[in-house]
Amino acid sequence: MSDPCFDGSESMISLEEALEFLITRARAVSEVEELDAADGLGRILAEPVVSALDVPPWDNSAMDGYAVKAADIPDKGEVSLRVSQRIPAGSLGNVLAPGTAARIFTGAPMPDGADTVVMQERCTAIRDRVSLSGPVSRSDNVRPKGNDIAAGAEILSAGMRLRPQELGLAASVGIGRLRVFRRLRVAIFSTGDELVLPGQPLASGQIYNSNRYSLLGLLQGLGCETLDLGIVADDYQATRDTLLEAAARADLIITSGGVSVGEEDHVRRAVESAGALEMWKIRIKPGKPLAFGRVGEADFLGTPGNPVSTLVTFMLFARPFILKRQGAAVVLPRTIPVSAGFSWRKPGNRREFLRARLASDGHGAPKATIFPRQGSDVLTSAVWADGLVVIPEGATVAPGDAVAYMPFAELLS
C-alpha cells in the first residue's frame, strides 16, 4: 500500500491499512535475557524450547487401581488374584509375577509384566487378594511413555507470549530458565492545561487525568517497562523538549491528546520538528486521530484525548504494534461471531466499535448487548462492557443479526 500522508486533509485510511502500516514498521527488539521460568509470565520467548526427555518418561497409571496383565482377566466372570506388590507414585515396582496384581496409584510407573490398570471402583480387595471381573482391554488406563511429549520435540516456539501453561510445560521437561526478549521501554505523557492528577483540587475548567492510569495499566498488562513523564502544558517548546527526553530514554513514546489540528494541539508540530510524522486519521469511531512517527530512534504513537478513544485506539493499534516490537509471533486479536441483542440504525462512514457485554440468548448461545451511551467521553461504558462489537462502515444491525465481537480478555492481554 502507499504510505498514508499526514497532510492536514480530511482523507482517512482504513483500519486494515493502518494495521499493515504499523506492523510492517514495528522493529522487534533484538536484546535477549535469560530468566527463571517462574518470572517468565507475559514475556516473549526468544528461542525455541526443545525437550530432552519423554513425558511421561515411562508407562504409568492413569488412576488408582490394580496393575494386571490383560490376558489374566477373563472376558466373563470374576477372577481373584494375589496382590504381589504396592506401587505408589514416585516408586518403582518389581516385575509383575504371572497371575498376580499390583496395587498401583495415579502416576506410578507400570511394572514390567503388567499392561493394564483396572480402576479400584471395579475391584474388591480382601487382605492380600483382589477380585475383579472383565472384560478389560490391553492398555486400559495406562499412559504410555512419551504420551504428552517425545524427546527431541519442540514444545515452545520462538515468539510465543508465555502464559502459565507454557511455563508449566517448560517445567515438565526440566527446564527452569528461559531466554526471552527484553522488555520494551515505553514513555508516556499527557498534554493539556486542563489536566490535573487525582488527589489534587480541581479549578474551574479542569478535569482529572484518567488517560494516564489507563495507559499505564494497558502497558503493564503487556509487560512493558514504563516511564511516566506526567502532564505537559499546552506549549510547543515544552512538548518538543519532553519528546526529545522521552526519545533518549525509551523505545516507544505514547501521548494522550494533542494530535488533532487545534491551535493548542502542539504534539503534531513538535513531532514533525523533532522527528517525522507519518500517519493519522483512521476510518474508525471512536478514535479517528491516531498519529505515528519517529523521534530519534524511538517510535511515536499519539492517541486521542477522549478516554474511550484512547482505550480503543490502544487496543486496536498500539497493542499489536507493541507485541510485534516485543518479538511476538501472533499480534492480532481474534473476533468471535455472536448474535446482536440490540438495534443499530445509524449507518456511518467509519467502522464503529461499540462497548458491549455478552449474555445468553436463552438457548445457550452468546448474545451481545450494548451500553446505551456510546460517546467517546463515556468511560463508564468501558467498565460496564466486557468487549467491543464491530459495526462495519455503512451497516445497520437488527436483533438476531450476526456481529463480530472482540473480548477485552483478548484485547487487554
Side-chain angles (χ1 to χ4, degrees), residues 209-394:
N209 183 12
S210 63
N211 286 344
R212 170 182 184 261
Y213 295 88
S214 294
L215 286 173
L216 287 173
L218 289 161
L219 291 166
Q220 289 163 7
L222 288 175
C224 299
E225 288 183 16
T226 57
L227 172 64
D228 181 12
L229 297 180
I231 299 170
V232 178
D234 281 327
D235 176 80
Y236 165 74
Q237 191 59 50
T239 303
R240 189 178 189 278
D241 291 345
T242 306
L243 282 169
L244 291 172
E245 177 190 354
R249 301 171 63 185
D251 305 300
L252 170 64
I253 307 163
I254 298 182
T255 62
S256 169
V259 295
S260 192
V261 293
E263 292 181 6
E264 297 301 320
D265 293 326
H266 299 289
V267 173
R268 170 192 171 183
R269 191 158 59 96
V271 173
E272 289 179 314
S273 170
L277 198 61
E278 299 183 69
M279 183 186 77
W280 81 323
K281 290 187 179 177
I282 303 170
R283 202 175 297 117
I284 65 168
K285 182 179 180 179
K288 178 176 70 173
L290 178 74
F292 172 76
R294 293 281 294 277
V295 179
E297 289 301 309
D299 291 310
F300 169 81
L301 277 172
T303 67
N306 279 319
V308 178
S309 299
T310 297
L311 187 70
V312 170
T313 52
F314 186 99
M315 291 188 292
L316 295 180
F317 301 105
R319 175 186 177 273
F321 181 80
I322 288 170
L323 288 175
K324 182 70 180 295
R325 286 224 56 187
Q326 288 176 321
V330 178
V331 301
L332 296 179
R334 296 169 298 168
T335 59
I336 301 170
V338 301
S339 66
F342 62 92
S343 295
W344 190 259
R345 308 205 178 279
K346 300 179 287 184
N349 63 351
R350 290 185 279 164
R351 194 172 315 180
E352 301 206 37
F353 293 86
L354 310 180
R355 275 70 70 207
R357 176 188 287 180
L358 291 189
S360 172
D361 66 354
H363 303 284
K367 175 183 69 174
T369 58
I370 61 173
F371 196 74
R373 289 174 291 123
Q374 290 288 327
S376 60
D377 61 321
V378 184
L379 193 54
T380 50
S381 66
V383 174
W384 173 89
D386 51 27
L388 301 173
V389 159
V390 186
I391 308 294
E393 296 91 328

Side-chain angles (χ1 to χ4, degrees), residues 43-56:
R43 303 297 294 272
I44 307 297
L45 197 61
E47 59 186 34
V49 174
V50 176
S51 176
L53 49 85
D54 294 305
V55 178

